[in-house]
Amino acid sequence: MIHVLAIITTKPGQREAVLKEFRANVPNVHAEKGCIEYGPATDADGFAAGAKLGSDTFVVIEKWESMEALKAHAAAPHMASYAAKTRDMIASRAIHVLSPA
């Protein structure tokens, strides 16, 4: 299994617009061969300890059956479409591809 944590920081005030496009694409990703988990997460309220991502950042939590499935996901046409729609709203992204320890 492959785990992915993608930390997406939008330009100021653009997180909800990016999340709208992201959520619209989620069914396409869930239909991909090898997708186990794929969804966004933001700061939870009510827990004082820990660092906050902030109002312009979200994390995509992914699990894939294999590296091949992840590579196919990255090359999928719907991912290119999502990237084109959100490109001008994104300030930065950090993609962490991980193996279970």
Side-chain angles (χ1 to χ4, degrees):
M1 183 182 327
I2 300 297
H3 298 267
V4 178
L5 294 176
I7 302 168
I8 311 298
T9 301
T10 67
K11 292 179 180 174
Q14 295 295 305
R15 184 174 76 178
E16 287 310 312
V18 173
L19 281 170
K20 180 181 177 185
E21 295 296 339
F22 182 93
R23 289 182 186 114
N25 195 38
V26 166
N28 297 321
V29 177
H30 283 171
E32 291 179 42
K33 182 180 181 196
C35 179
I36 298 168
E37 181 179 351
Y38 184 84
T42 58
D43 289 320
D45 293 328
F47 191 75
K52 296 288 186 182
L53 295 169
S55 62
D56 294 319
T57 301
F58 66 99
V59 175
V60 181
I61 300 167
E62 308 177 37
K63 290 183 183 177
W64 296 91
E65 287 180 0
S66 66
M67 188 62 75
E68 292 75 24
L70 175 59
K71 288 177 181 178
H73 162 70
H78 55 266
M79 292 309 296
S81 177
Y82 164 75
K85 290 177 185 175
T86 61
R87 182 172 291 118
D88 293 336
M89 295 183 276
I90 302 291
S92 67
R93 79 180 83 224
I95 311 293
H96 303 273
V97 179
L98 311 165
S99 295

